Every structure is written in structure tokens, then in C-alpha cells.
Amino acid sequence: MKEKDITQKVLEDNNDIFADIVNVLLFDGKSEVEENELVNTTVHSQYKAEDGKVHEQERDIAKYWKRGCTDIVLYGIENQTKVEKRMPARISGYEGASYRGQYDKKTIVPVITMVLYYGTDRKWTAPKNLKSLIKVPDNLDKYVNDTKANVFEIAWLTDEQIAKFTSDYKIVANFFVNKRKNKDYIPDDKTTIKHVDEILKFLSVMTGDNRYEEILSDKEGVSNMCDVAQRLEDRGIEKGLQKGREEGLSLGGNQMIYSLVEDKSISMEKGAQKLGVSVEKLRVNMINAGYKCPDME
């Protein structure tokens, strides 16, 4: 999880991406926040727990939106790959510390926290406000302050929302939406990548597929996700060939494709395309030849 956090922070900490996220998710695509108006601020704060010990809490990313010398908003981003049941309580701690940090300033600006949820198996099911976690005694509800968790389910963004992104985050959003719809999705986004290192490391960690990061060793010529998909396929084929050489196998063309599909070096769709048959025909042929299809697991 720590590696995931670091990778997410490196990507989203780029001001062009951070501004794009804010503009699309909070301002419906309007260019309200310019990247040169964002200034990093501390992500660390301390609190004393019930055990009497002082603990440190760390936000993922925090930036002031400034116009000239004037602070407008303090934005925070928190990344989640899994549903966090008590997220509003965490946010309350972060935002409380941010407001306390502004105590001596002439003007206190609003603090807005955005939770970017990257899960693809299910939507966010946990409470999104603090009061939902608290059992409030009768007649005291109006005295209990509430904190809202602004959760954005990235894998469920609409095509219209994705189209409004202008940075590399458009590639990220498109990838997760397609991954939700098809777990064997092969990247086919032709959008030019600006932050190649950050994008590939991000996808490597988030998908658990080290091949994305391995591409970094020879990233020259990678300009979009179609290039990435081609590199993945080339590596998959080479992996299959190497495996055959190591095991002393002499596989025919069809058997080589069957082997690559079986160990998930390439998808069922790509294997069918290589052989010029339908996915269903490939499935039947593999079973008849004694191979196991990934979707049989």
C-alpha cells in the first residue's frame, strides 16, 4: 500500500494533473484553476490520541490555490484503492488540522478534500459523512458538526466526464473505466502521454502488472497507450518464446498462441485476432488441445 501511495502521489502531484482533476471533478471541466496557481503545502500534522501519545497523520497531497498572494482554497487529495469504512473521520482529522494551521492568518480559506477511489470491483459502499458513523444522542444532532467525504469513483466516470480532462489524467480515468468493464482490457488509448514515467509506474502498481514498469527500461518510442499495448504484447510473445526455449519445446504457431493466452501473456481477444478466429472458437480449440483458458479459472 505504501508503494501505491507513493506512486499515486508522484503522478497527481504534477500541477497540470492536479489542476485538471480539480477542474473536471469540481468545476465540470471549466478551467477555473491554473496549474501555475497551485502551491504545495505541508501534508503532515500531529494529534494526541486517547492513549495520550502524539501521532502524526499524513495527507496524500495538499496544495493551496492562490491568485497572486491571496489564498483561495486549500485542496487535498486522498487516494483509495479499497473502500475505507471510516473515511469521514480521517478527513475530519486532516481538515481540522488544516484549519488550525490557519488560525493566526488574517483570512481563513476553505479546505476541500477529494477522495479518488480507484476500485473496479464495486462502487464506494461506506458512509460519506461523519454523522453516519456517530450515534448521536436524541436532541443533540443540531450541535454535532458534520464532515463530508467527497468521493469520486474514477472507474465509474462517464464518457462525457473523461472527455473533459486535458492532462494525462484522461488516460488514467479511461484506463480504469475500461478495466471495470473488462478485466482483460488491453490499452487502446491514442492520447499522447506527457508524464510517461509516472503513468507507467502508476499502472504497474495499481494493476500488479510489472510489465508496465519494465517498459521504462526501453520507453523510447512510447507516446501513447497503444504503444504501451504493443510493448506488452511483444514482451508477452518474447516471454512465451523464452519459456519454450528453456523447456526445450517446439511449439507450432497455434500452440504458441494457446500458451501465451493460457499464462495471460496476451488476452483471449488478442490471441483470437492473431489466429484470425473468434474468441469462442479460440476457447474451443484451446480446450480441445488440452490448454486452460483464463476465464475457466
Side-chain angles (χ1 to χ4, degrees), residues 53-296:
K53 295 181 180 179
V54 175
H55 300 265
E56 182 173 83
Q57 59 184 3
E58 179 181 354
R59 272 185 172 278
D60 283 350
I61 309 172
K63 292 178 184 283
Y64 272 104
W65 176 24
K66 305 171 74 77
R67 286 275 169 82
C69 297
T70 304
D71 294 337
I72 302 174
V73 175
L74 173 56
Y75 289 115
I77 285 182
E78 299 302 321
N79 295 295
Q80 288 293 127
T81 55
K82 295 182 180 180
V83 175
E84 171 57 59
K85 294 181 179 180
R86 297 192 172 184
M87 196 70 202
R90 278 179 52 193
I91 292 173
S92 181
Y94 295 146
E95 294 187 350
S98 294
Y99 282 120
R100 185 62 182 84
Q102 300 181 69
Y103 185 81
D104 294 324
K105 291 187 176 181
K106 184 177 182 180
T107 302
I108 296 177
V109 302
V111 181
I112 298 175
T113 301
M114 306 170 66
V115 179
L116 305 185
Y117 172 57
Y118 291 100
T120 57
D121 294 331
R122 60 171 175 164
K123 286 190 149 188
W124 187 273
T125 54
K128 294 183 180 179
N129 70 304
L130 186 60
K131 282 188 176 181
S132 296
L133 299 173
I134 303 172
K135 185 176 181 180
V136 182
D138 293 340
N139 303 319
L140 291 180
D141 183 77
K142 65 180 180 180
Y143 301 109
V144 178
N145 293 325
D146 204 2
T147 299
K148 179 183 178 183
N150 300 300
V151 178
F152 297 91
E153 298 161 318
I154 304 305
W156 277 268
L157 294 179
T158 65
D159 291 341
E160 291 75 16
Q161 287 175 301
I162 293 175
K164 292 174 182 177
F165 288 109
T166 58
S167 72
D168 282 354
Y169 200 76
K170 181 177 183 179
I171 298 167
V172 172
N174 186 58
F175 180 88
F176 280 94
V177 168
N178 281 285
K179 269 293 186 183
R180 171 180 63 82
K181 296 177 180 178
N182 175 16
K183 65 179 181 179
D184 296 320
Y185 167 68
I186 302 297
D188 59 357
D189 193 331
K190 296 182 180 179
T191 304
T192 300
I193 303 173
K194 178 181 178 181
H195 303 285
V196 177
D197 284 62
E198 291 94 326
I199 286 289
L200 292 178
K201 288 177 180 176
F202 180 90
L203 294 179
S204 179
V205 172
M206 296 299 291
T207 63
D209 189 340
N210 293 329
R211 293 178 301 166
Y212 287 105
E213 188 165 4
E214 289 170 0
I215 293 174
L216 288 173
S217 63
D218 183 28
K219 68 179 180 181
E220 186 176 349
V222 173
S223 62
N224 56 50
M225 292 305 290
C226 289
D227 294 334
V228 171
Q230 184 61 54
R231 296 294 178 91
L232 292 179
E233 181 182 349
D234 291 345
R235 284 179 175 273
I237 292 173
E238 177 56 35
K239 178 181 175 182
L241 291 172
Q242 180 62 32
K243 180 180 179 182
R245 287 193 291 267
E246 291 175 355
E247 297 179 1
L249 300 177
S250 178
L251 300 178
N254 286 15
Q255 290 176 299
M256 177 58 70
I257 297 299
Y258 299 163
S259 178
L260 293 174
V261 171
E262 184 179 53
D263 68 11
K264 299 182 182 181
S265 294
I266 63 175
S267 67
M268 288 283 291
E269 289 78 6
K270 182 61 70 173
Q273 180 183 340
K274 287 289 185 183
L275 295 178
V277 299
S278 67
V279 171
E280 183 57 37
K281 180 65 174 175
L282 173 60
R283 182 180 292 106
V284 171
N285 290 346
M286 286 182 64
I287 293 173
N288 290 338
Y291 289 85
K292 185 177 182 180
C293 300
D295 58 7
M296 294 170 58

